[in-house]
Amino acid sequence: MIAMLTTLKITAHDLNNPEIADSLKATLLSGGLVIFPTETVYGIGGHALDPQAAAAIYAAKGRPSDNPLIVHVARFDQIDALAYREQPYIDALAQAFWPGPMTLVLRKKAIVPDGTTGGLSTVAVRIPSHPVAQTVLRLVDVPIAAPSANLSGKPSSTSFSHVEADFLGKVDVLIDGGDVPIGLESTVIDATGSTPVILRPGAITQEMIEAVLHEDVLDHSESLIDGAPKSPGMKYKHYAPQARLEIVAGSDEAVVRFLRQAIAQDPHIGILGPSELLDQLQGGIRFDLGSRTHLEAMAHQLFAALRALDDQQVPHAYFIAVNEAGVGKAIMNRIYKAANHRIITLDESSKGTP
């Protein structure tokens, strides 16, 4: 059981106060935990080189200890103290996408404790672009291990109200930075081999990576993991609401027909999806994620909608599948895991029976 803490809640503006800034630095350097916003999702941060801090993160999240943590730094020149940059494409990726929502998996140096990497010989590193994350990192001037600030397996936190609900009394400091701009966790790339391998899709898409490198990259984000995962989000059921979530895929006509019948059978069914199809439905508990022509906006709404299912105590919900091109790949990656890979594939001959 986690001992209840007196959690200090501050705003981004409070970081300009020298006393608060000094207290925050002392908290992190002494093994305490601080939750702060990044451009992707909120992170729960601890001193990356302190094994006790890593253990505290796992305990607060209820996270299995073989699931590696992502180490955040403020500047590129800090990477070399933590890991080996062995592949020539690493610098090109860093120049193109850092600071930003990209994580690289590199072979770690001995300074990084096994507790931070889930016992792996590699370490996942990232340079966030969010001004609050950058302020915290520069203030403390040590690497910070910061996985997504959510209870393990549950939807990630994209607003301050989410982290308050999950972690008040479980961490030392909560920093209110409002809603995050992206809403999906970073793209994770295994950069230990001659060819980059995407382990988790995100806002930095495969197409964007290949455009920078002028070569094909591999995507192993849907590979089944038997041993220790190299990246967060690969092995365990993730992002799941309490509702039983199922994916519905097919033509617009077949999906609308199926969902109309589902609503007729259960007026309290939850439905998450794009405006274009939700506008054709009446009834049910609908969560409009926006137009499917703007997948980035849909991604931004995704985790908040999954949390809203729990807030409204929806027992059963359907997610309308989107095209897996670009950011759609990242959306569906999260939804496959949230739904435990339950998918209903419809064709034109389907009678639409839920």
Side-chain angles (χ1 to χ4, degrees):
M1 180 178 294
I2 303 299
M4 294 298 289
L5 301 173
T6 300
T7 300
L8 174 66
K9 294 192 292 184
I10 64 174
T11 66
H13 179 74
D14 291 328
L15 295 174
N16 297 320
N17 183 317
E19 290 185 6
I20 293 177
D22 288 345
S23 176
L24 178 69
K25 181 176 182 178
T27 295
L28 283 165
L29 292 180
S30 63
L33 302 183
V34 175
I35 288 180
F36 57 90
T38 76
E39 69 275 21
T40 56
V41 296
Y42 272 80
I44 175 170
H47 193 329
L49 307 184
D50 180 351
Q52 292 184 342
I57 291 172
Y58 286 122
K61 283 176 63 71
R63 181 189 183 104
S65 60
D66 69 343
N67 206 4
L69 307 177
I70 293 177
V71 176
H72 295 64
V73 295
R75 306 181 312 276
F76 186 60
D77 60 15
Q78 295 173 297
I79 298 291
D80 289 335
L82 305 172
Y84 298 96
R85 289 188 288 128
E86 298 169 312
Q87 304 302 328
Y89 57 79
I90 291 173
D91 286 5
L93 290 175
Q95 183 175 3
F97 302 120
W98 273 345
M102 176 186 72
T103 295
L104 295 182
V105 174
L106 307 171
R107 191 163 62 88
K108 81 178 184 75
K109 293 185 175 178
I111 192 174
V112 183
D114 288 345
T116 296
T117 65
L120 297 174
S121 61
T122 54
V123 59
V125 295
R126 182 163 99 83
I127 304 175
S129 62
H130 195 287
V132 175
Q134 277 285 328
T135 297
V136 171
L137 287 163
R138 292 179 183 277
L139 173 68
V140 181
D141 200 29
V142 297
I144 295 177
S148 56
N150 56 292
L151 300 178
S152 186
K154 299 302 181 183
S156 297
S157 297
T158 57
S159 74
F160 187 69
S161 62
H162 298 162
V163 294
E164 266 194 306
D166 283 355
F167 291 103
L168 190 64
K170 297 179 182 179
V171 299
D172 298 279
V173 182
L174 294 171
I175 303 176
D176 185 353
D179 291 346
V180 301
I182 293 177
L184 290 180
E185 301 89 347
S186 61
T187 302
V188 180
I189 304 168
D190 182 352
T192 60
S194 58
T195 299
V197 178
I198 297 172
L199 301 180
R200 182 178 71 187
I204 305 298
T205 66
Q206 181 172 349
E207 296 85 349
M208 294 164 67
I209 296 165
E210 291 176 341
V212 167
L213 299 181
H214 305 292
E215 63 177 275
D216 292 339
V217 302
L218 301 176
D219 186 342
H220 289 180
S221 59
E222 296 302 325
S223 299
L224 295 176
I225 302 299
D226 294 323
K230 275 192 172 183
S231 165
M234 293 191 73
K235 184 175 182 182
Y236 300 97
K237 182 182 177 184
H238 267 62
Y239 322 113
Q242 294 175 6
R244 175 181 171 84
L245 184 64
E246 296 181 88
I247 302 164
V248 182
S251 69
D252 287 358
E253 293 78 7
V255 169
V256 168
R257 184 166 59 245
F258 175 91
L259 292 175
R260 283 174 175 165
Q261 184 161 346
I263 293 169
Q265 293 179 0
D266 181 3
H268 303 292
I269 199 79
I271 301 171
L272 301 84
S275 306
E276 289 85 350
L277 297 190
L278 264 65
D279 286 347
Q280 300 181 48
L281 301 174
Q282 293 183 344
I285 303 174
R286 289 168 286 165
F287 299 87
D288 191 335
L289 301 180
S291 173
R292 60 188 173 188
T293 62
H294 299 287
L295 290 174
E296 291 81 2
M298 288 190 69
H300 184 262
Q301 300 292 332
L302 180 62
F303 287 138
L306 292 177
R307 283 178 172 264
L309 287 174
D310 290 346
D311 292 341
Q312 298 191 35
Q313 299 181 325
V314 177
H316 186 193
Y318 294 110
F319 182 92
I320 301 171
V322 298
N323 190 313
E324 293 193 33
V327 177
K329 174 71 174 180
I331 293 173
M332 292 307 299
N333 170 268
R334 304 320 192 264
I335 287 298
Y336 286 133
K337 291 179 171 61
N340 204 17
H341 291 266
R342 290 185 291 262
I343 183 166
I344 300 167
T345 302
L346 306 172
D347 57 36
E348 289 307 315
S349 62
S350 171
K351 295 181 180 180
T353 301

